[in-house]
Amino acid sequence: MKISDILKNNEVTVSFEVFPPKEWSKIEQTSAVVRQMAESRPAFMSVTYGAAGTRTGFTTEIARAALESGITPLSHLTCLTSTKGKINSVLDEWQAAGIENILALRGDIPEGFEFPDGEHFEHACELVSVIRERGGFCVGAACYPEVHPESRDLVEDIEYLKQKVDCGVDFLTTQMFFDNEVFFRFKESCLIKGITVPLVAGIMPITNANQIKRSVELSGCRFPKKFEKIIERFGSGPAKMKQAGIIYATEQIIDLMANGQNHIHIYTMNKPDVAAAIMNGLSAIING
């Protein structure tokens, strides 16, 4: 099923993200995680691009596990270090596997990396155009409520985002954020710019102290004072932080939905119990 069809009625949806293992020997273990998460019946399940963005087959296999569990997969595809020939090869593989949805990403620039000749991609919008010209796929893209780290400000960031959407993006998924007011301002800025494709809000449940530094590094997000107090009080106690993080994420999602944001994406960190706990906390809201 195309994710554009899942999102078009603007009904409440909650989706999950999973990541493939770094070693092929652990594929079945991760596939079991997918099957367990599928029991919570997410609207769809996104699968990050290989192990550290290098092994396409890992993504394909985990996406297949989602399909076999009755869940629509969304396969991430990064293009920065891939040739156009490689990208077309991946698209051939995914089309044959019945994968219809792609999250088109540029990928992080490695230190010292120089853009090669015209066989490589420099921007995600180029990848979006290639996928759109090929046809047969629903195409999503990423966005940053707290501004992409390479943009000067929100105005410039929204301008680039509009260009990407105009290349043929069907929906957008945000990076994680912990302050809903930041998201609401970003959403309003998108609408003012004429970005009207469905927007999916990305939520990361912080369930242990080790996630905190990594989350900030990945997304550039800031923690509101309320969440800083939670970390300060419960961060040193694993069980306490896990429970507090689940409750905070659940309350964040409820507030988003109460203010008209119906599409939520949970960065699960491959933790079925965390995903299930949040879904249980939303059960009447989702199913009502």
Side-chain angles (χ1 to χ4, degrees):
M1 182 182 235
K2 299 284 179 64
I3 289 173
S4 53
D5 292 329
I6 294 174
L7 301 177
K8 69 180 180 182
N9 294 324
N10 205 35
E11 296 177 354
V12 170
T13 66
V14 179
S15 52
F16 299 161
E17 177 178 284
V18 296
F19 53 84
K22 294 181 179 179
E23 302 170 7
W24 187 261
S25 61
K26 296 182 179 179
I27 280 287
E28 180 49 40
Q29 181 180 331
T30 306
S31 295
V33 167
V34 169
R35 290 191 290 271
Q36 192 173 345
M37 285 190 177
E39 295 175 4
S40 294
R41 307 314 299 170
F44 59 89
M45 197 176 296
S46 76
V47 185
T48 60
Y49 190 45
T54 57
R55 298 178 178 87
T56 311
F58 288 40
T59 301
T60 307
E61 197 65 25
I62 299 307
R64 277 201 190 103
L67 272 173
E68 291 166 1
S69 301
I71 304 297
T72 297
L74 167 64
S75 292
H76 292 208
L77 181 58
T78 60
C79 64
L80 182 62
T81 57
S82 293
T83 64
K84 294 175 182 177
K86 170 63 175 175
I87 291 297
N88 278 311
S89 175
V90 172
L91 296 178
D92 287 340
E93 179 182 332
W94 287 355
Q95 212 156 33
I99 296 168
E100 299 181 292
N101 304 284
I102 295 175
L103 190 69
L105 307 165
R106 185 198 66 182
D108 296 328
I109 301 177
E111 188 174 348
F113 180 81
E114 294 184 7
F115 290 103
D117 54 37
E119 282 301 308
H120 288 72
F121 298 84
E122 291 189 38
H123 304 287
C125 60
E126 298 169 33
L127 177 59
V128 171
S129 295
V130 166
I131 300 170
R132 181 59 64 203
E133 287 168 10
R134 182 188 181 99
F137 291 100
C138 171
V139 186
C143 55
Y144 288 72
E146 296 184 73
V147 184
H148 191 284
E150 295 172 27
S151 294
R152 286 195 302 265
D153 51 37
L154 182 61
V155 173
E156 180 182 76
D157 201 31
I158 294 290
E159 178 62 40
Y160 285 133
L161 183 61
K162 180 65 163 61
Q163 292 174 19
K164 187 160 57 175
V165 170
D166 288 346
C167 286
V169 168
D170 294 302
F171 66 95
L172 295 167
T173 300
T174 77
Q175 265 286 5
M176 69 189 81
F177 59 91
F178 299 91
D179 184 344
N180 285 358
E181 290 304 315
V182 169
F183 173 80
F184 293 137
R185 287 194 294 271
F186 173 76
K187 186 176 182 178
E188 182 178 9
S189 296
C190 286
L191 291 173
I192 290 171
K193 190 63 180 177
I195 299 172
T196 58
V197 297
L199 184 62
V200 183
I203 300 298
M204 166 76 85
I206 298 293
T207 57
N208 66 72
N210 293 332
Q211 284 180 268
I212 296 167
K213 184 173 182 292
R214 183 64 174 154
S215 298
V216 173
E217 289 174 349
L218 284 172
S219 65
C221 57
R222 297 182 297 275
F223 295 127
K225 182 63 69 176
K226 177 182 177 180
F227 194 65
E228 287 180 351
K229 289 295 184 182
I230 289 173
I231 296 168
E232 181 182 320
R233 179 67 186 270
F234 306 119
S236 60
K240 293 177 182 179
M241 188 64 226
K242 181 176 181 178
Q243 186 173 53
I246 289 170
I247 291 171
Y248 186 89
T250 305
E251 290 182 346
Q252 193 181 357
I253 292 168
I254 290 171
D255 179 63
L256 287 168
M257 290 180 175
N259 284 279
Q261 176 56 35
N262 285 343
H263 305 311
I264 307 295
H265 192 61
I266 301 174
Y267 296 106
T268 68
M269 300 302 292
N270 288 22
K271 296 176 181 176
D273 59 329
V274 173
I278 293 174
M279 294 296 269
N280 287 338
L282 299 170
S283 57
I285 293 170
I286 297 171
N287 300 319

